[in-house]
PDB file of all heavy atoms in Angstrom:
ATOM      1  N   ASN M 222     -12.606 -23.350  42.258  1.00 93.00           N
ATOM      2  CA  ASN M 222     -11.440 -22.708  41.647  1.00 93.00           C
ATOM      3  C   ASN M 222     -11.851 -21.620  40.667  1.00 93.00           C
ATOM      4  O   ASN M 222     -11.006 -21.052  39.976  1.00 93.00           O
ATOM      5  CB  ASN M 222     -10.582 -23.751  40.925  1.00 93.00           C
ATOM      6  CG  ASN M 222      -9.914 -24.697  41.896  1.00 93.00           C
ATOM      7  OD1 ASN M 222      -9.404 -24.279  42.929  1.00 93.00           O
ATOM      8  ND2 ASN M 222      -9.935 -25.982  41.588  1.00 93.00           N
ATOM      9  N   ASN M 223     -13.162 -21.356  40.571  1.00 94.00           N
ATOM     10  CA  ASN M 223     -13.672 -20.280  39.727  1.00 94.00           C
ATOM     11  C   ASN M 223     -14.948 -19.758  40.369  1.00 94.00           C
ATOM     12  O   ASN M 223     -15.541 -20.423  41.212  1.00 94.00           O
ATOM     13  CB  ASN M 223     -13.926 -20.758  38.292  1.00 94.00           C
ATOM     14  CG  ASN M 223     -14.948 -21.884  38.252  1.00 94.00           C
ATOM     15  OD1 ASN M 223     -16.139 -21.670  38.481  1.00 94.00           O
ATOM     16  ND2 ASN M 223     -14.490 -23.102  37.970  1.00 94.00           N
ATOM     17  N   ASP M 224     -15.369 -18.579  39.978  1.00 94.00           N
ATOM     18  CA  ASP M 224     -16.548 -17.973  40.573  1.00 94.00           C
ATOM     19  C   ASP M 224     -17.773 -18.005  39.668  1.00 94.00           C
ATOM     20  O   ASP M 224     -18.885 -17.735  40.116  1.00 94.00           O
ATOM     21  CB  ASP M 224     -16.269 -16.506  40.950  1.00 94.00           C
ATOM     22  CG  ASP M 224     -15.293 -16.402  42.108  1.00 94.00           C
ATOM     23  OD1 ASP M 224     -15.323 -17.291  42.979  1.00 94.00           O
ATOM     24  OD2 ASP M 224     -14.491 -15.458  42.121  1.00 94.00           O
ATOM     25  N   GLN M 225     -17.569 -18.323  38.386  1.00 96.00           N
ATOM     26  CA  GLN M 225     -18.711 -18.319  37.474  1.00 96.00           C
ATOM     27  C   GLN M 225     -18.447 -19.233  36.287  1.00 96.00           C
ATOM     28  O   GLN M 225     -17.328 -19.293  35.766  1.00 96.00           O
ATOM     29  CB  GLN M 225     -18.993 -16.902  36.968  1.00 96.00           C
ATOM     30  CG  GLN M 225     -20.222 -16.795  36.080  1.00 96.00           C
ATOM     31  CD  GLN M 225     -20.635 -15.361  35.826  1.00 96.00           C
ATOM     32  OE1 GLN M 225     -20.354 -14.476  36.636  1.00 96.00           O
ATOM     33  NE2 GLN M 225     -21.302 -15.125  34.717  1.00 96.00           N
ATOM     34  N   VAL M 226     -19.496 -19.937  35.887  1.00 96.00           N
ATOM     35  CA  VAL M 226     -19.439 -20.819  34.727  1.00 96.00           C
ATOM     36  C   VAL M 226     -20.669 -20.553  33.868  1.00 96.00           C
ATOM     37  O   VAL M 226     -21.787 -20.496  34.378  1.00 96.00           O
ATOM     38  CB  VAL M 226     -19.422 -22.302  35.132  1.00 96.00           C
ATOM     39  CG1 VAL M 226     -19.488 -23.196  33.896  1.00 96.00           C
ATOM     40  CG2 VAL M 226     -18.182 -22.624  35.952  1.00 96.00           C
ATOM     41  N   THR M 227     -20.459 -20.373  32.579  1.00 95.00           N
ATOM     42  CA  THR M 227     -21.568 -20.270  31.638  1.00 95.00           C
ATOM     43  C   THR M 227     -21.546 -21.507  30.745  1.00 95.00           C
ATOM     44  O   THR M 227     -20.520 -21.818  30.148  1.00 95.00           O
ATOM     45  CB  THR M 227     -21.462 -19.006  30.768  1.00 95.00           C
ATOM     46  OG1 THR M 227     -21.547 -17.857  31.617  1.00 95.00           O
ATOM     47  CG2 THR M 227     -22.586 -18.947  29.745  1.00 95.00           C
ATOM     48  N   ILE M 228     -22.668 -22.211  30.697  1.00 94.00           N
ATOM     49  CA  ILE M 228     -22.771 -23.414  29.867  1.00 94.00           C
ATOM     50  C   ILE M 228     -23.543 -23.055  28.605  1.00 94.00           C
ATOM     51  O   ILE M 228     -24.665 -22.554  28.680  1.00 94.00           O
ATOM     52  CB  ILE M 228     -23.488 -24.545  30.613  1.00 94.00           C
ATOM     53  CG1 ILE M 228     -22.784 -24.842  31.925  1.00 94.00           C
ATOM     54  CG2 ILE M 228     -23.551 -25.797  29.743  1.00 94.00           C
ATOM     55  CD1 ILE M 228     -23.560 -25.779  32.825  1.00 94.00           C
ATOM     56  N   ARG M 229     -22.948 -23.294  27.458  1.00 95.00           N
ATOM     57  CA  ARG M 229     -23.597 -23.023  26.174  1.00 95.00           C
ATOM     58  C   ARG M 229     -24.037 -24.340  25.536  1.00 95.00           C
ATOM     59  O   ARG M 229     -23.261 -25.292  25.450  1.00 95.00           O
ATOM     60  CB  ARG M 229     -22.635 -22.294  25.232  1.00 95.00           C
ATOM     61  CG  ARG M 229     -22.184 -20.934  25.748  1.00 95.00           C
ATOM     62  CD  ARG M 229     -23.205 -19.860  25.437  1.00 95.00           C
ATOM     63  NE  ARG M 229     -22.889 -18.609  26.113  1.00 95.00           N
ATOM     64  CZ  ARG M 229     -21.975 -17.738  25.711  1.00 95.00           C
ATOM     65  NH1 ARG M 229     -21.272 -17.980  24.631  1.00 95.00           N
ATOM     66  NH2 ARG M 229     -21.769 -16.633  26.388  1.00 95.00           N
ATOM     67  N   TYR M 230     -25.271 -24.379  25.066  1.00 92.00           N
ATOM     68  CA  TYR M 230     -25.818 -25.588  24.453  1.00 92.00           C
ATOM     69  C   TYR M 230     -25.822 -25.443  22.938  1.00 92.00           C
ATOM     70  O   TYR M 230     -26.401 -24.495  22.399  1.00 92.00           O
ATOM     71  CB  TYR M 230     -27.229 -25.843  24.987  1.00 92.00           C
ATOM     72  CG  TYR M 230     -27.257 -25.996  26.492  1.00 92.00           C
ATOM     73  CD1 TYR M 230     -27.934 -25.087  27.296  1.00 92.00           C
ATOM     74  CD2 TYR M 230     -26.582 -27.046  27.107  1.00 92.00           C
ATOM     75  CE1 TYR M 230     -27.949 -25.223  28.678  1.00 92.00           C
ATOM     76  CE2 TYR M 230     -26.585 -27.187  28.485  1.00 92.00           C
ATOM     77  CZ  TYR M 230     -27.268 -26.272  29.271  1.00 92.00           C
ATOM     78  OH  TYR M 230     -27.267 -26.414  30.637  1.00 92.00           O
ATOM     79  N   PHE M 231     -25.175 -26.399  22.273  1.00 89.00           N
ATOM     80  CA  PHE M 231     -25.037 -26.387  20.821  1.00 89.00           C
ATOM     81  C   PHE M 231     -25.869 -27.502  20.198  1.00 89.00           C
ATOM     82  O   PHE M 231     -26.150 -28.519  20.835  1.00 89.00           O
ATOM     83  CB  PHE M 231     -23.574 -26.559  20.424  1.00 89.00           C
ATOM     84  CG  PHE M 231     -22.694 -25.391  20.776  1.00 89.00           C
ATOM     85  CD1 PHE M 231     -22.138 -25.272  22.045  1.00 89.00           C
ATOM     86  CD2 PHE M 231     -22.430 -24.394  19.846  1.00 89.00           C
ATOM     87  CE1 PHE M 231     -21.336 -24.190  22.382  1.00 89.00           C
ATOM     88  CE2 PHE M 231     -21.629 -23.314  20.168  1.00 89.00           C
ATOM     89  CZ  PHE M 231     -21.081 -23.207  21.440  1.00 89.00           C
ATOM     90  N   GLN M 232     -26.219 -27.322  18.939  1.00 84.00           N
ATOM     91  CA  GLN M 232     -26.993 -28.323  18.213  1.00 84.00           C
ATOM     92  C   GLN M 232     -26.126 -29.407  17.600  1.00 84.00           C
ATOM     93  O   GLN M 232     -26.602 -30.507  17.328  1.00 84.00           O
ATOM     94  CB  GLN M 232     -27.830 -27.652  17.116  1.00 84.00           C
ATOM     95  CG  GLN M 232     -28.946 -26.767  17.651  1.00 84.00           C
ATOM     96  CD  GLN M 232     -29.942 -27.528  18.499  1.00 84.00           C
ATOM     97  OE1 GLN M 232     -30.440 -28.571  18.088  1.00 84.00           O
ATOM     98  NE2 GLN M 232     -30.216 -27.022  19.700  1.00 84.00           N
ATOM     99  N   ASP M 233     -24.856 -29.100  17.359  1.00 84.00           N
ATOM    100  CA  ASP M 233     -23.993 -30.086  16.727  1.00 84.00           C
ATOM    101  C   ASP M 233     -22.534 -29.809  17.076  1.00 84.00           C
ATOM    102  O   ASP M 233     -22.171 -28.744  17.581  1.00 84.00           O
ATOM    103  CB  ASP M 233     -24.176 -30.087  15.210  1.00 84.00           C
ATOM    104  CG  ASP M 233     -23.993 -28.714  14.593  1.00 84.00           C
ATOM    105  OD1 ASP M 233     -22.901 -28.131  14.755  1.00 84.00           O
ATOM    106  OD2 ASP M 233     -24.942 -28.212  13.962  1.00 84.00           O
ATOM    107  N   SER M 234     -21.722 -30.808  16.793  1.00 84.00           N
ATOM    108  CA  SER M 234     -20.303 -30.726  17.107  1.00 84.00           C
ATOM    109  C   SER M 234     -19.597 -29.661  16.285  1.00 84.00           C
ATOM    110  O   SER M 234     -18.726 -28.948  16.792  1.00 84.00           O
ATOM    111  CB  SER M 234     -19.639 -32.086  16.865  1.00 84.00           C
ATOM    112  OG  SER M 234     -18.257 -32.025  17.072  1.00 84.00           O
ATOM    113  N   ALA M 235     -19.967 -29.522  15.017  1.00 85.00           N
ATOM    114  CA  ALA M 235     -19.266 -28.588  14.131  1.00 85.00           C
ATOM    115  C   ALA M 235     -19.348 -27.154  14.647  1.00 85.00           C
ATOM    116  O   ALA M 235     -18.347 -26.426  14.681  1.00 85.00           O
ATOM    117  CB  ALA M 235     -19.843 -28.676  12.721  1.00 85.00           C
ATOM    118  N   SER M 236     -20.544 -26.737  15.070  1.00 90.00           N
ATOM    119  CA  SER M 236     -20.686 -25.371  15.571  1.00 90.00           C
ATOM    120  C   SER M 236     -19.958 -25.204  16.896  1.00 90.00           C
ATOM    121  O   SER M 236     -19.431 -24.130  17.200  1.00 90.00           O
ATOM    122  CB  SER M 236     -22.167 -25.012  15.711  1.00 90.00           C
ATOM    123  OG  SER M 236     -22.827 -25.908  16.588  1.00 90.00           O
ATOM    124  N   MET M 237     -19.903 -26.253  17.673  1.00 88.00           N
ATOM    125  CA  MET M 237     -19.193 -26.177  18.943  1.00 88.00           C
ATOM    126  C   MET M 237     -17.681 -26.083  18.718  1.00 88.00           C
ATOM    127  O   MET M 237     -16.977 -25.311  19.394  1.00 88.00           O
ATOM    128  CB  MET M 237     -19.526 -27.385  19.800  1.00 88.00           C
ATOM    129  CG  MET M 237     -19.003 -27.295  21.208  1.00 88.00           C
ATOM    130  SD  MET M 237     -19.698 -28.595  22.252  1.00 88.00           S
ATOM    131  CE  MET M 237     -19.117 -30.043  21.386  1.00 88.00           C
ATOM    132  N   VAL M 238     -17.175 -26.848  17.766  1.00 83.00           N
ATOM    133  CA  VAL M 238     -15.755 -26.782  17.428  1.00 83.00           C
ATOM    134  C   VAL M 238     -15.393 -25.385  16.944  1.00 83.00           C
ATOM    135  O   VAL M 238     -14.360 -24.813  17.326  1.00 83.00           O
ATOM    136  CB  VAL M 238     -15.409 -27.830  16.354  1.00 83.00           C
ATOM    137  CG1 VAL M 238     -13.996 -27.625  15.839  1.00 83.00           C
ATOM    138  CG2 VAL M 238     -15.574 -29.224  16.912  1.00 83.00           C
TER     139      VAL M 238
END
Side-chain angles (χ1 to χ4, degrees):
N222 291 317
N223 60 71
D224 291 327
Q225 184 168 334
V226 175
T227 297
I228 304 170
R229 298 277 171 79
Y230 301 116
F231 292 84
Q232 292 300 310
D233 54 59
S234 176
S236 59
M237 189 169 60
V238 171

